[in-house]
């Protein structure tokens, strides 16, 4: 499989891989002159070939460029209630594989995890790294954005940005399929998921007043790390992303 790397910017007919990516290409994969690799940047995929190494950095010559594949036609932003440890990382990894465009951790009323400013910055950096690695492994065309953690009010304030905002709630609401069928034109979709203890009725009402649609994900109660993946997969299928 051809190695793939993400760069913020591509200029001219040559790419220079950052030190960590250069190490991976040169030392881990043992690439030599003439080895092909792909660089993804700004929605484009650049077919490159390694032609020289300078100061430990791999430099590739661009042979061709085309729009990057691997991105859904719809854009999904996940507002995920802060959950314990590995649960957040699982959501990031598998959500990236599915095609989520942006992740936002949300401190909800029943979130057990609480982050101060320093810890929030550290977690955001780690989560962005996890998303990048998952994007490379799953052959995404872009790296999802990991936003700094939001409060519930901050998250709700973003609802007008989207064509459709869905709040998964075990307390009731429209079936997810019905909510999607009623709004077939929605291409920029937000999904709100509660933490381990779920969302409170007050939080759901605040989101509803801002324009969100409360939805159910079926007759069974899903874990906080299962619900977003089930919801996103269902949305992608309903929008024809899986054929």
């Amino acid at each position: 499989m051809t190695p793939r790397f993400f760069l913020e910017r591509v200029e001219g007919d040559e790419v220079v891989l950052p030190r960590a990516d250069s190490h991976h290409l040169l030392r881990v994969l043992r690439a030599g002159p003439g080895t092909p690799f792909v660089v993804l940047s700004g929605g484009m995929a650049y077919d490159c070939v390694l032609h020289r190494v300078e100061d430990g950095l791999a430099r590739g010559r661009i042979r061709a460029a085309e729009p990057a594949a691997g991105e859904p036609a719809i854009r999904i932003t996940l507002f995920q209630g802060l959950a314990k440890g590995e649960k957040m990382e699982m959501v990031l990894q598998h959500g990236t594989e599915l095609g989520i465009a942006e992740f936002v951790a949300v401190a909800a009323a029943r979130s057990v995890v609480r982050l101060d400013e320093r810890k929030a910055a550290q977690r955001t950096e780690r989560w962005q790294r996890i998303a990048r690695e998952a994007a490379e492994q799953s052959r995404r065309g872009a790296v999802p954005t990991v936003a700094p953690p939001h409060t519930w009010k901050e998250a709700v304030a973003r609802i007008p940005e989207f064509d459709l905002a869905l709040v998964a709630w075990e307390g009731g609401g429209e079936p997810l399929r019905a909510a999607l069928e009623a709004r077939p034109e929605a291409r920029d979709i937000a999904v709100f998921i509660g933490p381990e203890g779920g969302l409170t009725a007050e939080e759901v009402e605040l989101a509803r007043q801002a324009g969100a649609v409360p939805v159910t994900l079926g007759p069974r109660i899903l874990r906080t790390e299962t619900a977003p993946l089930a919801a996103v997969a269902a949305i992608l299928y309903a929008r024809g992303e899986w054929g």
Side-chain angles (χ1 to χ4, degrees):
M1 186 178 293
T2 305
R4 294 160 65 92
F5 303 98
F6 289 96
L7 290 181
E8 288 186 12
R9 216 169 38 250
V10 171
E11 298 176 351
D13 59 0
E14 183 182 72
V15 295
V16 181
L17 296 184
R19 196 159 298 279
D21 289 339
S22 292
H23 174 81
H24 183 74
L25 181 65
L26 300 172
R27 305 301 177 204
V28 178
L29 300 180
R30 300 185 180 278
T35 299
F37 62 96
V38 174
V39 163
L40 298 129
S41 179
M44 297 294 293
Y46 298 88
D47 174 30
C48 305
V49 61
L50 179 64
H51 73 102
R52 64 191 177 104
V53 179
E54 186 176 306
D55 191 28
L57 301 180
R59 294 176 177 266
R61 186 177 68 254
I62 297 174
R63 300 186 295 186
E66 62 182 7
E71 291 304 297
I74 61 172
R75 189 180 193 279
I76 299 177
T77 297
L78 174 64
F79 291 85
Q80 171 68 43
L82 268 170
K84 296 178 182 177
E86 294 181 355
K87 294 178 182 179
M88 291 295 293
E89 297 186 3
M90 178 190 296
V91 171
L92 280 159
Q93 289 170 335
H94 299 320
T96 297
E97 293 171 18
L98 286 171
I100 290 174
E102 182 182 2
F103 294 90
V104 185
V106 183
R110 292 174 178 163
S111 291
V112 176
V113 177
R114 299 293 173 183
L115 302 177
D116 58 28
E117 187 174 342
R118 180 180 63 83
K119 287 184 178 179
Q122 291 174 341
R123 293 285 178 88
T124 301
E125 183 179 351
R126 174 173 172 76
W127 291 337
Q128 186 67 74
R129 186 167 63 252
I130 290 171
R132 178 188 176 93
E133 291 170 355
E136 290 175 348
Q137 292 167 359
S138 60
R139 302 183 71 80
R140 285 281 299 268
V143 179
T145 299
V146 179
H150 287 34
T151 65
W152 185 256
K153 287 186 178 180
E154 289 171 337
V156 166
R158 290 189 55 187
I159 286 174
E161 297 177 18
F162 304 95
D163 299 332
L164 175 63
L166 305 169
V167 181
W169 191 41
E170 66 275 14
E174 295 183 33
L176 176 59
R177 188 166 111 178
L180 292 169
E181 288 177 347
R183 301 156 184 87
E185 76 291 345
R187 312 306 290 175
D188 197 348
I189 300 174
V191 178
F192 288 76
I193 302 291
E196 286 93 342
L199 297 172
T200 66
E202 291 76 18
E203 287 173 324
V204 175
E205 178 58 21
L206 189 65
R208 189 193 65 77
Q209 291 177 4
V213 180
V215 295
T216 63
L217 301 181
R220 291 165 296 282
I221 302 299
L222 304 180
R223 291 176 179 268
T224 186
E225 69 271 30
T226 307
L229 305 179
V232 169
I235 292 168
L236 292 171
Y237 180 79
R239 287 295 191 258
E241 289 290 336
W242 287 4

